Amino acid sequence: MAMSDVRPKLREMMASSAEHHSIIEDTQGLAAGGMLVTLGVMLLSGAGLLTGGTAGVAFLLHYATGFSFGAVFFAVNLPFYYLALKRFGLAFTLKTFAAVALTSVLSETVPSYIGFSNLDPLVAAPFGGLLIGAGLLALFRHRASLGGFGILALYLQDRFGWRAGLVQLAFDGMVLVFSFFLASYYIIFCSVVGAVVLNLTLAINHRKDRYIAM
């Protein structure tokens, strides 16, 4: 391919505006979101904590069955891609699939290179929740999510104007109810702290009227 053919394509990939992210910006946003979520998951998992959403479902199945978190998380999200495709289109669905796949792979591989020797659940909970919330915020701002309840939360926000963070908080509460069968009251309390921090991060920062880029 001639250099004259390559340059326009590179300019197109890098082109962005106040209303539109470039391909490079989207790639960076998805990667950053997946990495932040992975670190948050590592903190919660290392402290034996739970969370909400499909990640919470994956944690419950992981603790109950011993299957790897990454594989379960990837499988749990599969049924939600139809809603994503129907409501948000192909681009959103593909970016969400990529974000879920990246997070699943990182959740399986990164713990081999990064470890935590001492994690107090009450400290790990807010830090883990904040990291996951920041990662989800990055994904939401690049029109992606981590699938599952995140897709449903975004759908309800777009359809009815409900805050995605508050909607997801309600779903998280339902997931945490089931954790009473697998965890102690103290672990559940700490998990609730993490879930509140996570969703308040989204509720306070995810505002379409303040951030309009797609």
Side-chain angles (χ1 to χ4, degrees):
M1 181 181 294
M3 185 61 68
S4 58
D5 297 327
V6 173
R7 288 174 179 171
K9 293 184 179 297
L10 289 176
R11 284 196 294 269
E12 180 181 351
M13 292 178 62
M14 298 177 64
S16 64
S17 65
E19 295 83 18
H20 178 73
H21 289 119
S22 68
I23 295 176
I24 292 177
E25 289 171 339
D26 277 340
T27 301
Q28 182 276 332
L30 297 183
M35 293 167 70
L36 287 169
V37 170
T38 297
L39 286 177
V41 166
M42 289 174 59
L43 284 173
L44 298 184
S45 178
L49 297 171
L50 297 145
T51 188
T54 48
V57 175
F59 267 127
L60 289 174
L61 293 175
H62 166 64
Y63 292 143
T65 66
F67 291 137
S68 69
F69 171 85
V72 174
F73 179 63
F74 183 82
V76 166
N77 278 292
L78 291 176
F80 291 90
Y81 292 120
Y82 172 75
L83 176 60
L85 182 62
K86 181 179 179 181
R87 182 64 182 84
F88 298 109
L90 181 61
F92 176 91
T93 304
L94 291 177
K95 286 191 285 187
T96 295
F97 181 85
V100 171
L102 175 63
T103 303
S104 298
V105 171
L106 291 178
S107 296
E108 291 300 305
T109 57
V110 173
S112 299
Y113 302 95
I114 300 176
F116 301 99
S117 60
N118 181 34
L119 285 176
D120 185 288
L122 192 56
V123 177
F127 278 90
L130 180 61
L131 282 168
I132 295 175
L136 286 172
L137 184 63
L139 296 176
F140 285 1
R141 287 184 168 178
H142 288 267
R143 295 298 293 172
S145 76
L146 279 183
F149 298 152
I151 292 175
L152 189 55
L154 285 175
Y155 168 79
L156 293 174
Q157 177 171 274
D158 285 357
R159 181 68 177 81
F160 300 106
W162 299 348
R163 293 282 187 87
L166 296 179
V167 172
Q168 186 140 347
L169 181 60
F171 290 128
D172 288 351
M174 290 187 292
V175 172
L176 288 173
V177 167
F178 289 96
S179 66
F180 281 92
F181 297 100
L182 294 175
S184 68
Y185 290 119
Y186 178 66
I187 290 297
I188 293 171
F189 169 76
C190 294
S191 298
V192 170
V193 170
V196 169
V197 171
L198 188 165
N199 288 286
L200 284 178
T201 300
L202 294 179
I204 293 171
N205 294 283
H206 188 57
R207 291 273 303 271
K208 293 204 303 180
D209 56 334
R210 289 179 179 173
Y211 192 92
I212 61 175
M214 302 290 283

